[in-house]
């Protein structure tokens, strides 16, 4: 009976935050499971979704505000989760103060115990006394003395993330716009896979034509899984930036044979499915390689409708390829990266990543790219892509690899940005094997 007073939507949101914190779950993957468990749909599910995503995005700002309202510095993690949810309702949603506070107290009573309910009530009453802008002015560093520190609190990004994004962007005046875009919910974009579905079919399902990819359709509302083409794998949910990675490889000029394509890091399979569909229309075939077995299984499922364009799905180490050198005409290296270009979709990544992660990722990226160039025949093309704009993972990785080779040249690079292009911050480089 302890949970009888707790609103199911808020209880579900709390359970997702706990899974993110305790199990390192991704919110977008945990959320559907929790919604089903609590039997939430429609407006209740939408409320829970906003509560979860908004709370995680603004966690850094909210923590600074919560800490400013505490008389003792220590706070149990379970209580902090509930307070974050309460603060988001007070400062980021149109929830009346009394409802946000009382439901948060009920949530703490149900999930933690009676002890912290008084603290919860007191902290949230202090928070409710002012709006978000006032709180930011109060708890953030002086923007003139510590610009990165101010932006970190004002836009809820770790300081080091603010710094590396600012370095990659190269324009301090644009940086707040980029950080704002990271905190906005991304649009739902679909990709029509050529020969399997069409843009027109997706437009008839209520979509709007995309601006950047010829296969892109924005779905303003509704559930993508309810669209037959998506449910059958003939189309997929895919950001326009990711679609452009695939089309950049497919559209690159090529002399000589154009029969064998390779996706070195194919999981979870969205780009591989689009590439396989494009390859099939030209009589080419794509080999989808993925180093991790569980992700390779996702590739198999994701490409199920595009088998005509597939050589197969294999599990292999792209840094030590099992295929001979000079084998492929077109090669995609969608390298594992920090993911700092996709913070709109996976907001928890900003709190999990550390600068030290680059020490592992950057050498891997360079090894994958070097091996991919060797896997490409002379005259063939390689597209190197990361879902990160960080210079160490993008231009510096290219420079380091090509400095050690005389048989490859960069023909074109492109950096997409959420605030400019409405996409994830994909980096795309086209490399020609000489």
């Amino acid at each position: 009976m302890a949970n009888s007073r707790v609103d199911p939507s808020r209880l579900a949101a709390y359970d997702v935050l706990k899974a993110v914190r305790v199990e390192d779950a991704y919110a977008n993957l945990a959320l559907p499971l929790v919604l089903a468990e609590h039997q939430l749909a429609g407006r209740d599910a939408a409320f829970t979704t906003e509560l979860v995503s908004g709370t995680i995005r603004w966690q850094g700002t909210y923590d600074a505000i919560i800490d400013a309202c505490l008389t003792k510095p220590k706070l149990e993690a379970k209580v902090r989760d509930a307070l974050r949810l309460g603060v988001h309702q007070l400062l980021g949603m149109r929830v009346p103060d009394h409802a946000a506070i009382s439901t948060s107290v009920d949530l703490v009573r149900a999930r933690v115990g009676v002890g912290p309910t008084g603290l919860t009530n007191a902290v949230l009453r202090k928070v409710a006394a002012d709006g978000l802008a006032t709180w930011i002015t109060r708890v953030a560093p002086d923007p003139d003395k510590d610009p990165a520190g101010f932006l970190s609190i004002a836009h809820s990004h770790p300081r080091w993330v603010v710094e590396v994004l600012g370095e990659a962007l190269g324009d301090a005046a644009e940086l707040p716009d980029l950080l704002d875009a990271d905190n906005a919910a991304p649009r739902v974009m679909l990709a029509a896979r050529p020969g399997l579905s069409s843009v027109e079919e997706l437009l008839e399902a209520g979509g709007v034509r995309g601006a950047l990819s010829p296969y892109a359709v924005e779905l303003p509302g509704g559930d993508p899984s309810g669209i037959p083409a998506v449910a059958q794998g003939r189309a997929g949910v895919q950001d326009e930036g990711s679609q452009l990675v695939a089309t950049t490889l497919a559209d690159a000029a090529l002399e000589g044979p154009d029969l064998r394509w390779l996706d070195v890091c194919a999981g979870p399979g969205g780009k591989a499915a689009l590439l396989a569909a494009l390859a099939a229309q030209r009589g080419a075939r794509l080999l989808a390689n993925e180093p991790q077995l569980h992700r390779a299984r996702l590739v198999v499922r994701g490409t199920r409708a595009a088998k005509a364009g597939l050589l197969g799905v294999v599990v292999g180490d792209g840094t030590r390829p099992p295929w001979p050198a000079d084998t492929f005409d077109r090669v995609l290296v969608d390298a594992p990266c920090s993911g700092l270009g996709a913070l709109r979709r996976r907001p928890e990544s900003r709190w999990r990543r550390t600068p030290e992660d680059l020490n592992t990722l950057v050498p891997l990226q360079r090894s994958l790219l070097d091996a991919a160039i060797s896997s490409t025949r002379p005259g063939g093309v390689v597209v190197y892509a990361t879902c990160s704009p960080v210079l160490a993972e993008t231009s510096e990785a290219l420079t380091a690899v090509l400095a050690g080779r005389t048989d490859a040249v960069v023909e074109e690079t492109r950096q997409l940005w959420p605030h400019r292009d409405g996409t994830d911050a994909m980096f795309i480089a086209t490399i020609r094997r000489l």
Side-chain angles (χ1 to χ4, degrees), residues 216-399:
V217 173
E218 180 183 354
L219 189 64
D223 181 3
S225 64
I227 298 174
V230 176
Q232 296 161 11
R234 296 184 293 109
V237 178
Q238 188 174 33
D239 179 73
E240 271 194 286
S242 294
Q243 294 182 43
L244 288 178
V245 170
T247 59
T248 298
L249 179 67
D251 293 344
L254 198 67
E255 293 184 4
D258 190 10
L259 300 174
R260 291 172 292 191
W261 299 9
L262 171 67
D263 186 346
V264 178
C265 305
K271 298 180 186 71
L274 182 53
L275 283 171
L278 290 166
Q281 294 197 312
R282 305 185 195 175
R285 295 293 182 270
L286 173 78
L287 179 66
N289 178 76
E290 169 53 46
Q292 300 181 47
L293 178 60
H294 72 281
R295 287 172 63 86
R297 289 172 175 154
L298 295 177
V299 177
V300 171
R301 173 165 176 76
T303 57
R304 66 192 183 279
K307 290 181 180 178
L310 275 180
L311 278 172
V313 179
V314 297
V315 178
D317 181 353
T319 67
R320 294 192 292 272
W323 48 81
D326 307 336
T327 294
F328 295 95
D329 306 304
R330 300 181 189 268
V331 176
L332 171 62
V333 186
D334 181 22
C337 67
S338 64
L340 296 185
L343 297 182
R344 305 177 304 158
R345 300 182 189 283
R346 290 194 164 173
E348 60 280 303
S349 293
R350 70 185 76 178
W351 310 119
R352 290 180 179 166
R353 285 298 187 189
T354 68
E356 290 69 33
D357 290 335
L358 297 177
N359 296 336
T360 301
L361 289 167
V362 170
L364 174 60
Q365 292 157 357
R366 294 179 181 182
S367 294
L368 286 167
L369 176 56
D370 192 48
I373 294 173
S374 296
S375 298
T376 308
R377 68 163 175 84
V381 292
V382 178
V383 165
Y384 173 76
T386 61
C387 193
S388 166
V390 176
L391 296 179
E393 302 182 88
T394 58
S395 59
E396 291 176 6
L398 286 180
T399 300

Side-chain angles (χ1 to χ4, degrees), residues 87-292:
V87 173
H88 186 55
Q89 293 171 69
L90 290 169
L91 302 182
M93 300 176 71
R94 297 178 180 177
V95 177
D97 292 357
H98 66 87
I101 295 170
S102 64
T103 55
S104 297
V105 171
D106 291 340
L107 182 59
V108 168
R109 182 182 292 110
R111 281 292 193 250
V112 185
V114 176
T117 56
L119 171 68
T120 301
N121 181 70
V123 168
L124 293 181
R125 286 186 179 278
K126 289 180 183 179
V127 172
D130 289 300
L132 180 59
T134 301
W135 273 114
I136 288 173
T137 302
R138 187 178 302 169
V139 302
D142 186 316
D144 295 323
K145 296 179 180 178
D146 185 3
F150 174 79
L151 292 173
S152 175
I153 298 298
H155 297 275
S156 192
H157 286 63
R159 174 190 284 270
W160 80 273
V161 173
V162 171
E163 292 171 346
V164 296
L165 291 180
E167 182 184 14
L169 188 59
D171 185 347
E174 269 191 80
L175 186 53
D177 292 336
L178 170 59
L179 301 177
D180 277 340
D182 280 349
N183 288 330
R187 299 173 297 163
V188 177
M189 299 300 298
L190 306 179
R193 292 165 182 164
L196 304 173
S197 63
S198 66
V199 167
E200 288 69 27
E201 178 183 0
L202 300 181
L203 292 175
E204 290 174 1
V208 178
R209 191 179 295 272
L212 299 177
S213 164
Y215 310 109
V217 173
E218 180 183 354
L219 189 64
D223 181 3
S225 64
I227 298 174
V230 176
Q232 296 161 11
R234 296 184 293 109
V237 178
Q238 188 174 33
D239 179 73
E240 271 194 286
S242 294
Q243 294 182 43
L244 288 178
V245 170
T247 59
T248 298
L249 179 67
D251 293 344
L254 198 67
E255 293 184 4
D258 190 10
L259 300 174
R260 291 172 292 191
W261 299 9
L262 171 67
D263 186 346
V264 178
C265 305
K271 298 180 186 71
L274 182 53
L275 283 171
L278 290 166
Q281 294 197 312
R282 305 185 195 175
R285 295 293 182 270
L286 173 78
L287 179 66
N289 178 76
E290 169 53 46
Q292 300 181 47

